[in-house]
Every structure is written in structure tokens, then in C-alpha cells.
Amino acid sequence: MQHTLCLTLALLGSTLAAPAQADLSYGGKNFKTLAAESYTLARLHGQFTDWLDAAYLKAGLPLGAGAAKGQTLGAALDARKADLRAAKGETKDVLARETAVWAHTFIKKAMPKFSLERGFEFASIAQTGERQCLLQSTLIAALLQRAGLSAGLVMVWNSQSGQESNLGHVTSVLRLPGGAGDLEVDASEPTPTAKHSGVLAWAEGGSRFLKASFGPGDVITAYARADGRGTVNPADLTFLSLGYVRSQFAYYRSERATGGLLGTGTGRATAEGLKRSEQWLKAALAEEPNNALAAGGLGNVWRKEGRNAEARAQDLKAAKIYAAQGHTPAGMLANLNWARNRAGR
């Protein structure tokens, strides 16, 4: 009996352990894998790092006033890493913020176009210079990580203008090395630092909908749980895991599949397109079963296909994920009401 109890507690404890935030360091294994997968899907040859290295030299935005002429992007980031290691006190935070501002400016200049339909693919950047929130945030986090800074991604459900969405945006976040808090670095905004008030990240044993509190300089000083169950210090928040990031790439491939969930490229959903959306959503949930957005999306696909019994069951399952994470957006509430009504509840 005691052995069974201990085993149960150990299993419960393992589910509460925070996953490692995504290692996306520029030029690292995970970064190259994400880019290579996109290139393969687009049947594009070459390496994305070669493209971005060339874009850095072309942009004329060297990282640091003393950067050597012709210095590669990787070398510039490594030099900044050394500078940050040597910096003391407030100087380290100033240098970290300066690096974030540079990354924001560089990404916007090197990739001037924004495309919801294609901009989440590394291949789209290389082919047409298009970007989107997930990819631009991945790139900014990658650059900051290579420079030795703690950075990552969070989902956004309430924007800085107060507009609520169903996890409809992604931003990168820099954790200031001095411990003052976090900075949202969002290339969708004209200024380097953003103030999105609602984010989703890992905190206190699970993915949580959180409300950010901002201090001077747009620094996030605390996060309040959206379910009202206390606050979280920035140092105790973990940015999205690699599995979650990979899951989001799969989600956007589902959402924007030709003739898929949104009818991209055809103006309407088609049987073939919905099947592709379903396949990508299943891939997203295989990477991260608690990706609420992907769970709800699968219900939407099945509903469009007329598979109402499966759609209702999936909507109820997705609603449980949202509830456990502390907030249910309006779109999911509408799906939940449909599922309950059709189920006779």
C-alpha cells in the first residue's frame, strides 16, 4: 500500500516538473532542424543559416559599434556573449536590452514582409522575405540565446491594445540577466518592446494563462494567473518548450493548408485540404498534447467534415485543456456550447 502510494506521488510529481524551455540557439541543432524541415517541405535546397548570414552582412546593422567589418552573424553574437559575460551590474541589463533592440531592428529590416499565409516557414523567408509571428519570435529568441541570454517564446491571448484572442499570437521574451523581470520583444510591433497583457507559458506545474504586470521600461515584474490563483514571479515562469514550439509550427501548417481549415488558396475548405489540416493537427498534438489551440482546431476540422460526434467529443476534450490552463476564450466557449447542446447536456 505504502509502495503504491509512493509510486503514485512520484508519478504525480513527474507531471508537475517544468519542461525545459526550447533551446533555439542560432546555428544549434534544434534551430537547424526546424529550418531544414521547412526547406524540405518547400523542396528548397541550401541552409537557412547561410541565408541569414548573408542577410546580416547586407542589412548594414552590425551588432555593436566595434563590430569588425565583414564579421559573420555567428561571430558577432559570440562577441556579444563575451561582452555580456564581462559586464557587471546594471551594465549587463543595458547591454541585454541593446541586444534585443538590435535583434528586433535586424529581423524587421532583413524580412520586410509579413504574411499570415506563408510567413511561418523558414523557406518563405529565404524565397520571398516573408515572416509571421511564430517564426520571427523563434528567430529573435535564437539570436538572443546565441548571445548568451535567457530568452524564449510565449503565446499571447490578450494584446497590448486589449484585444483578446484564442492564443492568436506569439512573441519572444527576454529575461533580463539582473533579475528585474522580462521584456517582450515583438517584431510585429513598431517598437522593440511590447506590452501584451495576456500570455500563456509554463508556471506552477502546467501551461497557464497569465496576466502580465509592467513596470518602468516595459519590464514585466510579475504574472497573475488568469484563474485568480495567485501570482508568479518572472524567474519562476518557463518559456515554451521545444515540443510546444514544434507543435505550433505544425498547427500553422494545418491552419494554412491549401483548402484546409481556413480555405487558404481556394476560398473554401475542400475534402483534400481538410485531410491535410487534420494530419498536421494530429502531428501538433503528438508534439504537445496540451496545445489547447491545436486540440480545439481538430474539433473544428471534424465539424467541417460533418463528423459531428467526433467533433463534439474533441471540443469537450479541448475545453478541459483550456479550463485546466485557467481561461477559455470566446471562440472555444462557442464550440463548447455547441458540443454540449448537440450532446443533449
Side-chain angles (χ1 to χ4, degrees):
M1 178 74 173
Q2 185 176 4
H3 173 75
T4 302
L5 178 59
C6 290
L7 178 60
T8 301
L9 290 174
L11 290 172
L12 287 172
S14 68
T15 64
L16 299 178
Q21 68 186 44
D23 178 357
L24 300 168
S25 182
Y26 179 66
K29 178 182 177 181
N30 295 336
F31 184 89
K32 287 184 175 179
T33 297
L34 288 172
E37 289 172 349
S38 179
Y39 270 45
T40 297
L41 288 170
R43 298 181 181 179
L44 183 65
H45 299 292
Q47 296 190 30
F48 179 76
T49 49
D50 291 340
W51 184 91
L52 197 59
D53 286 345
Y56 171 68
L57 294 174
K58 183 179 179 181
L61 293 170
L63 177 55
K69 185 176 181 179
Q71 186 180 47
T72 65
L73 177 56
L77 292 166
D78 291 341
R80 176 52 55 94
K81 182 176 182 178
D83 290 342
L84 281 160
R85 281 179 174 172
K88 303 294 183 182
E90 293 182 2
T91 303
K92 191 181 289 286
D93 277 1
V94 171
L95 198 55
R97 184 186 283 265
E98 178 187 301
T99 308
V101 170
W102 164 82
H104 177 273
T105 306
F106 168 55
I107 292 300
K108 289 178 76 72
K109 183 170 184 179
M111 306 152 207
K113 302 175 185 177
F114 191 91
S115 171
L116 290 173
E117 291 189 7
R118 296 172 299 276
F120 54 87
E121 295 287 5
F122 286 83
S124 292
I125 288 181
Q127 292 175 316
T128 60
E130 294 174 320
R131 58 182 166 79
Q132 171 257 28
C133 63
L134 173 62
L135 184 51
Q136 68 192 19
S137 298
T138 297
L139 293 175
I140 290 173
L143 296 172
L144 296 178
Q145 286 185 11
R146 177 71 178 263
L149 293 163
S150 177
L153 276 60
V154 298
M155 303 297 295
V156 175
W157 60 273
N158 202 305
S159 72
Q160 61 182 12
S161 64
Q163 182 177 3
E164 184 172 325
S165 69
N166 184 5
L167 300 172
H169 188 55
V170 186
T171 188
S172 53
V173 180
L174 165 67
R175 181 149 296 153
L176 291 171
D182 294 343
L183 282 175
E184 296 174 352
V185 187
D186 190 348
S188 290
E189 301 298 335
T191 56
T193 54
K195 297 176 70 175
H196 300 303
S197 59
V199 302
L200 180 137
W202 185 277
E204 297 186 338
S207 293
R208 307 289 179 200
F209 282 81
L210 304 165
K211 298 178 180 179
S213 295
F214 294 88
D218 297 342
V219 176
I220 299 175
T221 56
Y223 297 90
R225 288 179 53 158
D227 58 12
R229 297 180 181 179
T231 59
V232 178
N233 291 323
D236 296 326
L237 176 142
T238 301
F239 305 131
L240 300 183
S241 68
L242 180 62
Y244 208 119
V245 172
R246 290 180 60 84
S247 180
Q248 275 304 116
F249 275 104
Y251 172 80
Y252 284 121
R253 287 168 184 149
S254 164
E255 183 182 78
R256 298 293 170 173
T258 301
L261 185 58
L262 297 183
T264 298
T266 59
R268 61 182 179 84
T270 66
E272 183 180 354
L274 287 171
K275 186 57 63 178
R276 281 195 293 269
S277 285
E278 178 182 350
Q279 290 169 346
W280 279 118
L281 284 169
K282 287 181 176 179
L285 290 169
E287 292 283 359
E288 176 48 73
N290 288 318
N291 185 334
L293 186 59
L298 187 56
N300 289 337
V301 167
W302 285 341
R303 187 172 172 183
K304 281 182 175 287
E305 290 180 321
R307 298 159 62 180
N308 288 343
E310 292 168 279
R312 288 195 296 270
Q314 184 62 28
D315 284 345
L316 293 172
K317 183 176 181 180
K320 288 181 180 179
I321 297 175
Y322 280 103
Q325 296 175 0
H327 177 69
T328 305
M332 188 63 234
L333 279 175
N335 287 355
L336 179 58
N337 290 335
W338 173 84
R340 285 174 171 169
N341 290 338
R342 294 296 295 271
R345 298 184 179 185

